[in-house]
Amino acid sequence: MTQQDDGPNETQGTDQQGKDRQGRSGGPAVRALGGQGLTVGAIGLGTMGMTMAYGAGDEPGGIATIRRAYELGVTLFDTAELYGMGTGSNEQLVGRAVQDFRGDVVIATKFGFDMDAPQNAEGYALNSRPEHIREVTENSLRHLGTDYIDVLYQHRVDPDVPIEDVAGTIGELIAEGKVRYLGLSEAGPDILRRAHAVHPVSVLQTEYSVFERAVEADVLPVVRELGIGFVPYSPLGRGFLTGAVKPAAEYPADDMRSWDDRWQPGNYERNLTAIRELTDLAATKGISVTQLALAWLLAQGDDVVPIPGTRSPERLAENVAAADVTLTARDLARVQEILPKGAAGSRYPEAIMPSW
């Protein structure tokens, strides 16, 4: 699972005074993702947790949070077919929430699973066959209530379908006006190069945070070489970096933290110690540990746009304000000292761990 023409690409509908067509002003600074014209606010919003993985959702609350995000200057909203478990519920929620300002925002969604196949120990089967991509795209357009998708991601690399076929199909959808930009998720260097050779990849989405650092060695250098933007999902360690955590056994079975390795005995205590040290560092700057974690990501490059997920308008405002935080070299060095290699515990069970 994972925790993105005219209209929306014109600096997301802003005029020279920095005020958009809805009269809003301010908000996170605009960042470019890739070299094809995609621009978004520095902090986006992931919507997975509004319908899955973190307990029962609240649709009115989710819509209110998305609308509040827009008021605060958020322009990138991330959903996926998977987040509705094949029902389209998450995309429908996003579509209803943004309908009054659709032209001012970027909607990213994802394909890549066979939602009609029974789940096994590894979750849903993968399916990135060209005909399936087109089928899911039409469903997503209908669920979102829009005639174009800004960013269409392959959710997970399908080893049975050449990435050239995937990139070529999305390129066709772009030529048809149904999609604006090509995105990949959890793709490694070779896949990125091969896809980019067929059609320019605008953005890669992969887990990245002070807790999860695997992309730093091999993936980020290729992203920078090819001029691809980077969208970290789970930038707050699936909630661990908010500091509002409890041991795995205290979460309900439908909450992924009940089985996440980082919440298990031993790892939980080590990670909690790191959070306390990060919280102490944040306090010296008068910010929350959440803002510290997001500011750390933004400091990794101007091509990075994290998409923290939240159901809380208050937490949302705190997240967005992280775009105004400046971390010094000493701050960054202290974060590295506290978490030199990231969190204790794996980010996924071995059976569903993406391989690059």
Side-chain angles (χ1 to χ4, degrees), residues 119-190:
Q119 290 192 67
N120 55 31
E122 300 179 3
Y124 287 105
L126 298 173
N127 187 347
S128 284
R129 298 192 308 274
E131 62 272 21
H132 188 67
I133 295 173
R134 287 187 167 274
E135 177 186 358
V136 174
T137 299
E138 294 298 334
N139 289 339
S140 292
L141 288 167
R142 185 176 69 257
H143 293 149
L144 289 164
T146 187
D147 57 3
Y148 65 95
I149 295 165
D150 294 285
V151 182
L152 184 61
Y153 287 104
Q154 182 189 39
H155 208 151
R156 288 291 185 272
V157 175
D158 186 342
D160 296 327
V161 180
I163 194 62
E164 291 82 0
D165 292 352
V166 174
T169 300
I170 299 180
E172 292 170 0
L173 290 167
I174 291 172
E176 294 165 15
K178 295 180 178 181
V179 175
R180 302 277 310 288
Y181 303 102
L182 165 60
L184 297 178
S185 179
E186 292 285 357
D190 178 62

Side-chain angles (χ1 to χ4, degrees), residues 208-209 212-221 296 300 336 340 356:
Y208 185 34
S209 69
E212 176 51 53
R213 313 283 279 281
V215 298
E216 292 179 338
D218 300 316
V219 175
L220 284 181
W296 180 88
Q300 303 311 303
Q336 181 68 17
W356 300 332

Side-chain angles (χ1 to χ4, degrees), residues 85-104:
M85 307 297 284
T87 68
S89 61
N90 195 276
E91 291 174 321
Q92 290 166 10
L93 184 154
V94 171
R96 283 193 288 271
V98 307
Q99 61 184 346
D100 293 337
F101 44 85
R102 171 65 184 98
D104 295 322

Side-chain angles (χ1 to χ4, degrees), residues 154 157 163 184 187-196 201 355-356:
Q154 182 189 39
V157 175
I163 194 62
L184 297 178
D190 178 62
I191 293 293
L192 284 169
R193 293 184 190 281
R194 289 166 52 195
H196 199 69
V201 178
S355 61
W356 300 332

